[in-house]
Amino acid sequence: MKAVLCRKYGEPDDLEVGEIDPPALTPDGVRVQVDAAALNFPDILMVQGKYQYKPDFPFSPGMECVGRVTEVGADVPDIQPGQRVIAHPWVGCFAEQVVAPRQVVFPVPDHVGDAAAAGFGLTYGTVYHALIDRGGLQPGETLLVYGAAGGVGLAAVEMGKLLGATVIAAAGSPEKLAVCESYGADHLVDYSKEPVRERVKDLTGGRGADVIFDPVGGDMTDTTMRCINWDGRLLIVGFAAGRIAELPVNMILIKGCQVVGVAYQRFSRLQPAQSRANMAELMGWWAAGKLKPHVSMTFPLDKAVDAMKAIVNRKSTGQVVVTT
Ligand SMILES: NC(=O)c1ccc[n+]([C@@H]2O[C@H](COP(=O)([O-])OP(=O)(O)OC[C@H]3O[C@@H](n4cnc5c(N)ncnc54)[C@H](OP(=O)(O)O)[C@@H]3O)[C@@H](O)[C@H]2O)c1
């Protein structure tokens, strides 16, 4: 089968497209003929050797996909060949076939397009876990989202509105903020031009945001303790900017706030029943038209490197998808 291959850690340009044997079926595995796979920022970290999970070489990046089931393992009674599914096995989806453990495979209706389906699981699964399980976001609270036009950022804007929060979207250009506005953001902050701390204080009557969703890190994290409300929750989601900030613990005390880690992969491995329950609720919201995944770019498998460069160069909004 054709696959994008990482033979050593490096940059997206070091990836190859080649032919390899299809992966072996496991007893709890579901073989999926991949139609489309989503690209997430952690795919790039995995190729660079900076992600916490380090698969053996050669591996194909691609954490999640949509496609048809062609074969199931002996211990999989409830998924049949021919079913259309989304799957997030965390690696291997930039290939014509992938074998995913049953617990991360979910049937999807035929009317949902490939591009929208490919990136649904990991993005919305992360945001649900962040805002609800970890952040306890309540209706009427103020949610501040950094990197708000990115993959998880835009889903956080959308889900924040669905949960009844007032959403402040912070991103790096007017074009990106226009996308956030179209997903319901109440207030827009362009952090390439405006001081985030002052704007958030102005927008919240001096109190600061109740929940801050931070997938960017670096300078953005540095500002959070100055614009978080009493009893607020800072959700540490990622470090797209590269630098891992250090927080002044005295400010955590003074603000009476919590700094909360969000690790969706570990959560779904360590708490599979809760993770599947979350996904069931997300699928219900999706079927009811309450969630609309935004895909800004699609690339063929041969051009997966260009897809990665679009993310690295901050060109995309929402999700980026690779089709096989
Ligand atoms: N904790 C978890 O379980 C989990 C799950 C999924 C993703 N993540 C993490 O969340 C972060 C975002 O992932 P994603 O898939 O949403 O990525 P994405 O679509 O590329 O979004 C990242 C956003 O970060 C902003 N950004 C600021 N500085 C940047 C820089 N130097 N390089 C690239 N982007 C920069 C960009 O917006 P502006 O241009 O507007 O600043 C961009 O839209 C990553 O760190 C990823 O590892 C964590």
Side-chain angles (χ1 to χ4, degrees), residues 39-45 51-52 63 90 122-123 125-127 129-130 146-154 170-173 176-177 190-192 213-217 220 236-243 261-266 310-320:
L39 175 61
N40 292 280
F41 201 94
D43 290 309
I44 295 160
L45 299 177
Y51 194 63
Q52 57 263 37
M63 297 189 162
W90 305 106
L122 203 156
T123 302
T126 298
V127 171
H129 179 52
Y146 297 146
V152 291
L154 194 59
S173 74
K176 289 188 172 185
L177 287 167
D190 182 343
Y191 49 58
S192 70
F213 182 93
D214 181 6
V216 174
M220 300 312 302
I236 303 294
V237 180
F239 314 102
R243 182 170 66 82
V262 176
Y264 182 58
Q265 182 181 23
R266 293 205 78 206
I311 292 231
V312 170
N313 295 323
R314 297 161 81 167
K315 299 291 184 206
S316 62
T317 54
Q319 297 173 12
V320 175

Side-chain angles (χ1 to χ4, degrees), residues 105-122:
V105 174
F106 305 88
V108 277
D110 277 342
H111 70 267
V112 178
D114 281 344
F120 184 84
L122 203 156

